[in-house]
Amino acid sequence: MARFTLPRDLYHGKGAMEALKTFEGKKAIVCVGGGSMKRFGFLDKAVGYLQQAGMEVKIFDGIEPDPSVETVMRGAAAMAEFEPDWIIAIGGGSPIDAAKAMWIKYEYPDITFEEMCKVFGIPKLRQKARFCAISSTSGTATEVTAFSIITDYDKGIKYPIADFEITPDVAIVDPELAETMPKKLVAHTGMDAMTHAIEAYVSTANCAYTDPLAIFAIRMIQADLVGSYNGDMAKRDAMHDAQCLAGMAFSNALLGIVHSMAHKTGAAFADYGAHIIHGAANAMYLPKVIAFNAKDPAAKARYGVIADEMKLGGANDDEKVRLLIEYLRGMNDDLNIPHGIKFYGADSYPCEQGFVPEDVFLARLPEIAKNAIGDACTGSNPRQPSQEEMEKLLKCCYYDTEVDF
């Protein structure tokens, strides 16, 4: 028996935030990140709508990119004090992911972070509050997913929390918020969405309910991402829907080792002054993982279907896989994303020598590979890597060399 879970309600299209006026409750806490939602007036708008609904509203702001365990605990403490019956998270993936984890700790004060990270092991939520997610970026799709990514900075590791319990009750997908994204964010979140859709389609947990969502998202992203990056607002609006469809697919079909590797490399070199931004990591690793997974016959055939849907040509599946890899690398070029960690600058742009020194990468490689194999996303990857294979694959992602194993 399989399960397919999405938010009960999804409001979409311009002006969808007005749905907040219809919410029933006494108190709402609004979780938000840095300044963009304030600067563009969306936070005030959300608070105003909730007040029109008759609720007392508290703001928990300052949630950082790649939110920490400490931020989660502070937010949960604020919730325990305020006792909201609605948790509203607005912004990119970081505030929404953080609010999901806060929600768990608010409902179960004694739960530890380690217990929260037990895959599909969260106790029943909604005893104290319901959850609404309003996404401002077109990539993570956390507004419709059963996932949250939280960073333990002491260990330099990003941990996925995975459980259908944290699927939001309400998702609001309003493209007006996405129109404010800076160009670099458009690129990274867009390739995150492409990775979601492709990994969901080849995942071992794919099914007839997730396949159409994944394929349609891939076709939309192919049609709209580069144009969105170059300032076409109609395509920017379309991408906000495309990433949500990709999220619906992967929340139920799960992901693969592109995400495992991105999770475990993202903060692994923070002591050298930067993170490898999640969407950029996915973009760099995806072509390498496709080459690795295509050694599995079932995965190769599925990549062939993706290439057909993208109308890339190819007389057989081997040619189609090659053309798919070439196309995705070309997208990275169009979006100014590097092809390997060695060439990833601290500002995320391509450069001759990135911020991660070779000797540091090689010294940390065994531990990163071990952690990636243990990541929650690895289990549904179509080809299970050994420690040696994961290390070789990560080396290919560092040096941008061909995967031939």
Side-chain angles (χ1 to χ4, degrees):
M1 179 177 72
R3 178 174 174 178
F4 186 86
T5 301
L6 294 174
R8 186 184 185 281
D9 292 303
L10 193 155
Y11 298 95
H12 57 99
K14 288 195 174 181
M17 270 183 61
E18 282 198 47
L20 293 172
K21 292 194 290 192
T22 68
F23 283 22
E24 295 180 0
K26 294 179 180 176
K27 290 183 177 182
I29 189 166
V30 180
C31 301
V32 68
S36 66
M37 291 297 96
K38 293 179 189 174
R39 274 197 315 276
F40 294 108
F42 294 116
L43 178 60
D44 285 345
K45 196 178 281 190
V47 170
Y49 289 148
L50 291 164
Q51 288 172 339
Q52 285 182 55
M55 286 193 239
E56 182 184 348
V57 181
K58 178 182 176 65
I59 295 170
F60 182 87
D61 59 3
I63 298 170
E64 72 274 35
D66 304 304
S68 65
V69 177
E70 289 75 21
T71 295
V72 168
M73 298 307 165
R74 282 194 302 106
M79 290 177 186
E81 183 181 342
F82 183 62
E83 298 185 334
D85 45 20
W86 273 104
I87 298 166
I88 314 292
I90 181 169
S94 295
I96 297 174
D97 281 4
K100 285 180 176 179
M102 293 170 191
W103 183 24
I104 300 167
K105 184 72 175 173
Y106 169 50
E107 300 237 355
Y108 292 94
D110 295 332
I111 199 169
T112 65
F113 181 67
E114 289 71 27
E115 289 168 337
M116 289 162 64
C117 292
K118 184 181 176 186
V119 179
F120 295 101
I122 302 293
K124 283 210 170 293
L125 299 179
R126 298 164 181 82
Q127 314 302 308
K128 296 180 181 177
R130 286 179 287 170
F131 193 99
C132 170
I134 309 168
S135 178
S136 66
T137 60
S138 301
T140 68
T142 188
E143 73 273 9
V144 293
T145 75
F147 298 93
S148 163
I149 309 298
I150 304 298
T151 303
D152 184 330
Y153 284 91
D154 291 337
K155 296 179 180 176
I157 296 176
K158 295 184 179 184
Y159 288 97
I161 300 172
D163 198 292
F164 287 120
E165 283 298 315
I166 61 170
T167 304
D169 298 284
V170 179
I172 295 178
V173 185
D174 189 330
E176 288 183 358
L177 282 71
E179 290 179 5
T180 65
M181 281 193 294
K183 200 168 183 180
K184 183 162 70 174
L185 192 58
V186 172
H188 294 160
T189 56
M191 286 308 292
D192 192 18
M194 179 65 99
T195 306
H196 290 156
I198 291 175
E199 288 211 291
Y201 192 74
V202 300
S203 159
T204 56
N206 73 75
C207 69
Y209 293 86
T210 58
D211 282 353
L213 292 163
I215 286 293
F216 199 77
I218 290 166
R219 283 164 43 189
M220 288 182 75
I221 296 164
Q222 180 189 21
D224 296 318
L225 175 54
V226 174
S228 170
Y229 176 74
N230 290 321
D232 184 325
M233 287 303 157
K235 290 183 179 292
R236 183 79 54 89
D237 293 355
M239 271 300 302
H240 210 43
D241 289 330
Q243 64 85 31
C244 188
L245 295 174
M248 292 179 191
F250 92 77
S251 186
N252 291 279
L254 308 180
L255 291 165
I257 58 172
V258 179
H259 272 77
S260 303
M261 293 155 63
H263 292 154
K264 286 356 184 200
T265 54
F269 309 101
D271 53 329
Y272 282 81
H275 278 220
I276 302 175
I277 296 170
H278 179 70
N282 283 337
M284 293 191 294
Y285 308 162
L286 179 59
K288 304 292 189 285
V289 170
I290 289 173
F292 176 80
N293 283 343
K295 303 292 191 292
D296 174 85
K300 184 198 287 187
R302 288 206 144 233
Y303 289 129
V305 172
I306 291 171
D308 287 342
E309 290 288 340
M310 295 174 73
K311 299 183 168 43
L312 301 182
N316 54 52
D317 284 338
D318 287 319
E319 286 187 16
K320 291 172 186 178
V321 168
R322 178 179 59 78
L323 289 166
L324 176 59
I325 289 171
E326 285 180 8
Y327 188 91
L328 292 168
R329 286 178 65 88
M331 283 188 80
N332 287 349
D333 289 334
D334 290 340
L335 299 168
N336 209 15
I337 296 173
H339 292 295
I341 299 169
K342 183 178 180 180
F343 312 106
Y344 182 95
D347 59 1
S348 85
Y349 291 123
C351 62
E352 284 189 24
Q353 180 57 58
F355 83 94
V356 181
E358 182 179 16
D359 59 336
V360 173
F361 173 79
L362 293 173
R364 297 181 186 183
L365 176 61
E367 185 69 15
I368 291 170
K370 178 183 147 194
N371 290 333
I373 289 171
D375 188 89
C377 294
T378 299
S380 47
N381 194 69
R383 185 181 170 198
Q384 290 297 300
S386 65
Q387 174 75 17
E388 181 187 6
E389 287 169 336
M390 181 59 86
E391 289 187 26
K392 285 172 70 176
L393 190 53
L394 283 161
K395 279 186 180 178
C396 290
C397 292
Y398 184 84
Y399 296 108
D400 185 29
T401 50
E402 195 172 334
V403 176
D404 58 0
F405 55 92

